[in-house]
Amino acid sequence: MSKGEEEVKLLGAWPSPFVLRARIALNMKSVRYEFLQETFGSKSQLLLQSNPVHKKIPVLIHGDKPVCESLIIVEYIDQVWSSPPSILPSHPYDRAVARFWAAYLDEKWFPAMKSVQGAKGEEERKALMQQLEEGLALMESAYHSVSKGKPFFGGDRVGYLDIAFGCYLGWLRVIESFSGLKLLDHAKTPGLAQWAQAFCAHDAVKPVMPETDKLIEFAKVLMAKAPPK
Amino acid sequence: MAKEEYGDVKFFGSGGSPYARRVQIALKLNGVKYQHFEEDIRNKSELLLKYNPIHKKVPVLVHNDKPIAESLVILEYIDETWKTHPLLPLNPYHRALARFWSRFIDDKVLPAIQEAAWTVEVKKREKAIEEAIEGLRYLEKELNGKFFGGETIGMVDIAAAFIAFWLPLMEEAVGLKLLTHDKFPKLHKWSQEFCSHPVVRENLPPPSRLLGFFKARYASITASK
């Protein structure tokens, strides 16, 4: 079977920002795939088999080969379906910059975002919100230097860092809604505010970006299920 | 290649840092000519802070005045820029696997090993040991050749350098037994192959100094209980 004919499955769930990365990348390449949604609260046999190490979504199954970890999946998609549009920048240095920021977001920024809802007390919540704000200030500056006046981190088109960062927008809006605070807006982060609009309106993103209202409902369900402190 | 053909390459490292050594090994394997800046992490240079303002850490690679930070990001850059010794396979699936295992080492295995070595509290230490062993088991299973990279050293081998060189010294210093020959015969053999590779050997820190550092650290944490 040629690579174009092999079946593509994506194990995931609609609220997950990491799954969203894979879906956007697949859309950009116009790859047809079967979206197998995991039931919240349980893990399917297929998931446990294809990602025994982490038992986490997303998993891309191409033919019989499972690919795990969202950013690794995005790079894989870009390499296998190599006709334009390219997702990774073409120059090695620009790729390094994009990968650096994606790593920063996943290792430093997102953990703060994840912890906000479960924060014990006002002090901790404030500290985490401040971390998020500082991170966004960094990303605003990164946006200006990387995009060089173009609409996306990837320049004229959505690229790796747009996907790596943009996947978090839905949950960021949820945090803004719960806290009553604006984190990413035209006053604080004008470049990012414009970028976010363009990103969410993009053809590859719009059909799969979860609506903030739905995420808020989902977050309420999660919080109700969380063990009492 | 003459020095000029590599461009202006600056490397910021620090003796005992396993992450910095990754980059050093990768540069040497590719025969890259570079300027070495040795950092004292207790007294970081202006240049380092200028080139890595976000994390303020080594390693940093600066190529023609453009800085790159984060060891795995740097390894990918080296692989894409200098083709003498590729670090990643060309096949997309194998490439994805190499990235997966490198991340696994950084996200799961190394933190568990650090926790296992430096935690004094018994229950926490035992849990960390279990996690470290589970991680090593996955790597043992994954190793099916001379190196993780096959016949030649690749990115996963370089990421796992900590396991080959730093871990045995830590084990000796703190009285830990993780990477035993009977439980991990392949990893054990691999660590010897890796450490005795001519380029790697020249680019690892002096073991006695590292051992002394670990012993001192262990003495200070067990004293202050």
Side-chain angles (χ1 to χ4, degrees):
Chain A
M1 251 188 179
S2 78
K3 64 135 204 278
E5 292 165 42
E6 281 185 298
E7 266 191 347
V8 181
K9 294 186 172 78
L10 181 70
L11 302 186
W14 67 268
S16 160
F18 305 109
V19 171
L20 186 57
R21 288 172 171 172
R23 298 185 81 187
I24 294 170
L26 288 166
N27 283 356
M28 284 188 65
K29 300 287 189 174
S30 306
V31 176
R32 286 173 48 160
Y33 65 98
E34 199 185 344
F35 187 40
L36 298 168
Q37 291 219 60
E38 291 288 309
T39 312
F40 180 67
S42 73
K43 291 174 202 261
S44 71
Q45 263 307 106
L46 186 56
L47 175 60
L48 297 175
Q49 258 172 264
S50 8
N51 190 0
V53 176
H54 299 299
K55 307 176 178 54
K56 282 183 173 174
I57 50 172
V59 181
L60 183 81
I61 306 179
H62 185 201
D64 59 352
K65 300 188 286 291
V67 183
C68 308
E69 299 291 281
S70 61
L71 294 177
I72 295 176
I73 291 172
V74 172
E75 296 230 27
Y76 177 83
I77 289 168
D78 196 37
Q79 220 191 324
V80 170
W81 290 277
S82 51
S83 32
S86 283
I87 296 177
L88 273 289
S90 41
H91 194 281
Y93 183 70
D94 297 328
R95 285 210 274 273
V97 170
R99 286 172 181 144
F100 171 85
W101 284 114
Y104 166 77
L105 288 166
D106 283 4
E107 288 159 35
K108 301 273 186 258
W109 193 72
F110 176 65
M113 197 163 109
K114 218 165 64 152
S115 307
V116 167
Q117 283 313 122
K120 299 175 189 71
E122 202 42 46
E123 281 292 308
E124 196 185 327
R125 192 185 309 276
K126 266 178 91 172
L128 288 167
M129 291 294 276
Q130 194 176 338
Q131 254 187 281
L132 289 183
E133 274 191 303
E134 284 166 3
L136 286 171
L138 283 178
M139 293 310 297
E140 172 79 8
S141 156
Y143 172 70
H144 287 292
S145 82
V146 169
S147 68
K148 302 187 187 43
K150 302 269 170 80
F152 299 109
F153 285 93
D156 284 313
R157 39 163 217 267
V158 159
Y160 176 87
L161 186 50
D162 299 280
I163 295 174
F165 186 26
C167 71
Y168 288 125
L169 287 169
W171 281 102
L172 191 60
R173 298 302 182 211
V174 172
I175 289 176
E176 288 179 335
S177 169
F178 279 137
S179 67
L181 287 169
K182 276 282 169 194
L183 291 168
L184 191 158
D185 72 354
H186 288 280
K188 289 187 171 145
T189 56
L192 289 182
Q194 240 183 309
W195 162 80
Q197 262 183 304
F199 179 78
C200 293
H202 190 278
D203 283 337
V205 177
K206 198 154 173 223
V208 290
M209 178 71 109
E211 290 163 34
T212 306
D213 288 339
K214 292 217 170 87
L215 284 177
I216 288 172
E217 287 312 309
F218 180 74
K220 287 181 179 162
V221 169
L222 275 181
M223 292 192 297
K225 286 200 167 137
K229 294 193 187 48
Chain B
M1 260 181 142
K3 186 180 176 147
E4 314 78 61
E5 290 171 63
Y6 293 102
D8 177 55
V9 185
K10 292 179 170 64
F11 162 67
F12 291 79
S14 179
S17 161
Y19 301 100
R21 291 285 173 171
R22 288 175 174 178
V23 174
Q24 199 171 319
I25 289 168
L27 287 168
K28 290 285 195 206
L29 283 171
N30 278 280
V32 178
K33 308 273 181 287
Y34 63 90
Q35 227 185 323
H36 184 130
F37 291 81
E38 187 64 12
E39 290 287 324
D40 175 357
I41 50 175
R42 291 156 303 180
N43 186 17
K44 294 171 185 178
S45 74
E46 283 298 310
L47 270 186
L48 176 65
L49 298 176
K50 168 182 150 181
Y51 287 128
N52 190 3
I54 311 291
H55 301 298
K56 305 175 175 54
K57 281 180 172 175
V58 295
V60 178
L61 188 74
V62 186
H63 190 199
N64 298 327
D65 217 41
K66 295 195 191 150
I68 304 159
E70 296 296 284
S71 63
L72 294 183
V73 175
I74 298 171
L75 292 184
E76 296 243 14
Y77 181 80
I78 291 171
D79 175 75
E80 287 166 357
T81 306
W82 296 291
K83 311 286 187 184
T84 306
H85 185 122
L87 303 174
L88 284 167
L90 288 171
N91 172 279
Y93 181 61
H94 294 141
R95 217 172 166 87
L97 284 178
R99 287 173 172 144
F100 177 87
W101 290 113
S102 301
R103 283 252 56 101
F104 177 71
I105 287 164
D106 273 3
D107 294 343
K108 300 279 181 215
V109 186
L110 265 45
I113 291 173
Q114 296 280 22
E115 184 92 350
W118 308 115
T119 304
V120 177
E121 206 268 297
V122 175
K123 273 214 158 74
K124 271 182 93 174
R125 185 176 161 125
E126 279 172 8
K127 182 161 185 276
I129 290 172
E130 259 182 57
E131 278 182 35
I133 289 179
E134 198 193 332
L136 291 172
R137 274 204 196 112
Y138 277 118
L139 294 175
E140 173 80 9
K141 203 169 145 211
E142 197 50 32
L143 185 58
N144 286 311
K146 189 171 176 198
F147 297 111
F148 287 98
E151 276 306 298
T152 56
I153 288 177
M155 186 161 91
V156 181
D157 300 279
I158 295 175
F162 183 94
I163 297 166
F165 185 78
W166 278 258
L167 175 58
L169 294 169
M170 277 168 78
E171 286 176 310
E172 189 181 333
V174 316
L176 194 62
K177 273 183 166 35
L178 285 179
L179 191 65
T180 54
H181 180 264
D182 56 313
K183 279 208 187 101
F184 302 106
K186 291 194 276 176
L187 270 181
H188 207 260
K189 182 155 186 264
W190 162 82
S191 70
Q192 288 167 337
E193 286 279 5
F194 181 78
C195 291
S196 61
H197 182 282
V199 173
V200 174
R201 192 174 52 208
E202 276 173 22
N203 289 285
L204 290 170
S208 50
R209 201 187 304 172
L210 202 54
L211 181 63
F213 172 76
F214 288 148
K215 280 184 170 162
R217 186 178 171 188
Y218 190 63
S220 76
I221 64 163
T222 46
S224 56
K225 251 195 284 199

